[in-house]
Amino acid sequence: MHDFEALPPVQRTAIAQSSSPQATVSLRRRQSPLAAASHQLAKLEALNLLDTTNCGDFSAVLANHGWNSFQPASLEIFQINIGKLCNMTCRHCHVDAGPDRREVMSKDTMDACLRALDQTTAHTVDVTGGAPELNPHFRYLVDQCFARGKHIIDRCNLTVLLLPTMEDLPAWLAERRVEVVCSLPHYRQRNTDAQRGDGTYEQSVEALRRLNAAGYGQGNPQRRLTLMSNPVGAFLSSGQATLEQEWKAGLLKHHGITFDRLITLNNMPISRYLEWLEESGNLQHYMELLVNSFNPAAIAGLMCRNTLSISWDGRLFDCDFNQMLELECQPTNGKPMTIHNFEMAWLAQRQIATNRHCFGCTAGSGSSCGGAIA
Ligand code: SF4
Ligand code: SF4
C-alpha cells in the first residue's frame, strides 16, 4: 500500500503544519461504524420509504421510465481519484477525506490508468481526491494527460493552494490549460465556514485571487475557473443559472474576484453528510425529499453513463459515489477487473450498480460532477 509515508518529507511537514480549516475529524479516525460502506448502505436500506414514489426503489423507478437495462453510453470522462488525503476535514465530505487518511495512488497505478486511457476515446481526465494536489505524483499525471491532448480537470478545495509547497501551482496549471473546479459552498462567509471549518472562506478568497492572477476566471477557455457549490443544509440545490449571476456579482463587488461558471450539486446521503443527516434528525426527511423529487429528465445525463471512476488503488467504479460505497463495476465477462487488467470492450457492456443513494443524482435539476443535468 502506498501511504502517507511515501509523500516527500516537505509535503508531510506542510500538511502537518498547515493551518487549513478543520470542521470535524474523519469517520475513520473516530472509528465510527459509518466509516464502513456496508454500514452506510444498510442505514439507507433500513429507512421506511414506502410512502414515497416507487417506495424508494431506484431500479424500479428507472424501469418505470423505460430503463429496464441501465448501461453506460460512450465513455467520455476518466475520473481518477488519486487519494483520500486532504488538508481539510469538511463536515459534508463524501470521501471521508482528511489529513489522517494515508491512501494515495502510486505512480505504478497512475501508469496503468494512462495505459487504460489510451485504449479509450475519453476526452477528459477529471482528477479528484481528497486534495489531489497532495499526491506526490499529481504533476506527473497532469503532464502525461496534457501530452495526450486531454482536457484536464483539477478538483481543488482552494485552501490547498495556500500550502507552502503549492505557491507555483496556479501558474503551473495554467500552462497546462487545466480547468480548475473549486469547491466553495457559498459566496458569503458564514455558510462556507459552517460546512468547511472556520477560516475557509478567507483562505478560499485568497486562493481565488491567486488563480485570477494566473489568468484564471477571465473568459479564457484555456484558463477556466469553475466554482462548485452544494447546499449547506438538508435541501436540494437549485437555480444554477440564477445563482451564477448572483455569485459573480457578489464576489466581484466584495473581493474583486471573477470566475467563469458556477455548478451546483446535491449533497449525497453517504459518509460524513449521512452522519450529519442522522445526527441532525434530517435523514428520513432528506431521503423522502430526494425520492419524491425524482426527475426523469435527469436519467440520460447521469454521470455514471459517460464516466469511469478509478480509485487510488486501481479499482473501477461507475462514479465517485459508488466508489465510496465500494460498489465496484461488474464487467460482463465476470472476470474481476481493475485498472491493471483493463479491457474496455468487457467493461462497456456492464450494468451500472445503483442503490438508494442514486436518488441524489436524479432529484430536482439533477446533479453530477458537472453540475445540474436536467
Ligand atoms: S470535501 Fe473536499 S476539501 Fe473537504 S475534506 Fe472532503 S475532499 Fe477535502
Ligand atoms: S450515484 Fe449517481 S452517478 Fe453514481 S451510479 Fe448512482 S445515479 Fe449514477
Side-chain angles (χ1 to χ4, degrees), residues 268 302-304 319 321-322 352-353 357-358 361:
M268 296 298 279
L302 287 170
M303 62 180 172
C304 46
C319 71
F321 304 123
N322 281 8
I352 295 168
H357 65 290
C358 294
C361 297

Side-chain angles (χ1 to χ4, degrees), residues 86 88-90 92-93 97 130 157 196 272:
C86 189
M88 298 177 76
T89 333
C90 308
H92 68 296
C93 184
N157 68 20
R196 299 175 83 86
R272 293 211 289 262

Side-chain angles (χ1 to χ4, degrees), residues 77-135:
I77 303 170
F78 245 55
Q79 188 173 61
I80 313 180
N81 190 318
I82 61 175
K84 295 178 189 289
L85 176 63
C86 189
N87 57 315
M88 298 177 76
T89 333
C90 308
R91 214 173 287 287
H92 68 296
C93 184
H94 75 273
V95 181
D96 196 27
D100 60 298
R101 298 305 301 262
R102 306 298 162 101
E103 305 94 326
V104 291
M105 184 179 275
S106 69
K107 191 160 171 285
D108 277 355
T109 303
M110 281 182 190
D111 283 330
C113 290
L114 293 165
R115 285 194 297 275
L117 178 66
D118 291 341
Q119 282 187 44
T120 75
T121 53
H123 51 68
T124 296
V125 179
D126 184 336
V127 187
T128 188
E133 304 85 353
L134 294 178
N135 183 307

Side-chain angles (χ1 to χ4, degrees), residues 21 26 29 32 81 117 119 134 177 187 190 197 200 202-203 213 250 260 297 300 318 325 331 343 354:
S26 72
R29 183 155 184 196
S32 161
N81 190 318
L117 178 66
Q119 282 187 44
L134 294 178
R177 303 174 199 159
Y187 70 91
R190 193 161 52 102
T200 300
E202 205 178 316
Q203 292 192 19
D260 295 306
D318 300 303
L325 290 172
E343 283 180 60
T354 60

Side-chain angles (χ1 to χ4, degrees), residues 13 107 148 226 241 322 349:
T13 308
K107 191 160 171 285
R148 285 164 167 79
T226 299
N322 281 8
Q349 295 163 40

Side-chain angles (χ1 to χ4, degrees), residues 2-258:
H2 292 263
D3 62 18
F4 184 77
E5 308 309 325
L7 296 176
V10 65
Q11 207 144 329
R12 274 185 274 161
T13 308
I15 298 163
Q17 293 180 349
S18 85
S19 52
S20 301
Q22 311 294 329
T24 181
V25 289
S26 72
L27 297 169
R28 173 74 67 88
R29 183 155 184 196
R30 281 182 274 135
Q31 300 185 324
S32 161
L34 275 177
S38 56
H39 195 83
Q40 297 174 40
L41 286 166
K43 180 101 18 206
L44 294 180
E45 198 51 47
L47 293 174
N48 182 350
L49 297 175
L50 289 174
D51 289 337
T52 62
T53 327
N54 289 292
C55 308
D57 181 338
F58 194 75
S59 315
V61 180
L62 288 182
N64 283 351
H65 290 87
W67 295 78
N68 293 305
S69 164
F70 193 45
Q71 291 195 292
S74 27
L75 180 62
E76 295 181 74
I77 303 170
F78 245 55
Q79 188 173 61
I80 313 180
N81 190 318
I82 61 175
K84 295 178 189 289
L85 176 63
C86 189
N87 57 315
M88 298 177 76
T89 333
C90 308
R91 214 173 287 287
H92 68 296
C93 184
H94 75 273
V95 181
D96 196 27
D100 60 298
R101 298 305 301 262
R102 306 298 162 101
E103 305 94 326
V104 291
M105 184 179 275
S106 69
K107 191 160 171 285
D108 277 355
T109 303
M110 281 182 190
D111 283 330
C113 290
L114 293 165
R115 285 194 297 275
L117 178 66
D118 291 341
Q119 282 187 44
T120 75
T121 53
H123 51 68
T124 296
V125 179
D126 184 336
V127 187
T128 188
E133 304 85 353
L134 294 178
N135 183 307
H137 312 298
F138 169 75
R139 295 189 194 214
Y140 168 76
L141 180 64
V142 170
D143 267 335
Q144 290 294 318
C145 295
F146 183 58
R148 285 164 167 79
K150 302 295 179 188
H151 175 62
I152 305 159
I153 294 173
D154 170 28
R155 292 200 179 262
C156 177
N157 68 20
L158 286 172
T159 65
V160 76
L161 296 179
L162 270 55
L163 294 181
T165 51
M166 302 289 164
E167 272 175 19
D168 67 323
L169 194 57
W172 189 91
L173 293 169
E175 280 166 20
R176 288 149 186 83
R177 303 174 199 159
V178 175
E179 177 180 358
V180 185
V181 177
C182 304
S183 37
L184 188 70
H186 204 273
Y187 70 91
R188 292 209 177 94
Q189 178 163 7
R190 193 161 52 102
N191 293 357
T192 295
D193 285 358
Q195 189 178 84
R196 299 175 83 86
D198 288 344
T200 300
Y201 185 77
E202 205 178 316
Q203 292 192 19
S204 300
V205 165
E206 173 55 25
L208 286 168
R209 282 204 185 98
R210 294 185 188 185
L211 286 164
N212 276 175
Y216 274 101
Q218 289 150 44
N220 179 348
Q222 298 187 353
R223 307 271 193 282
R224 187 143 84 154
L225 176 57
T226 299
L227 298 188
M228 194 179 85
S229 159
N230 46 322
V232 182
F235 52 92
L236 301 181
S237 65
S238 67
Q240 185 171 280
T242 315
L243 282 181
E244 181 178 293
Q245 296 314 314
E246 191 184 325
W247 281 53
K248 281 188 168 167
L251 282 173
L252 184 63
K253 181 174 170 200
H254 297 295
H255 304 290
I257 285 169
T258 56

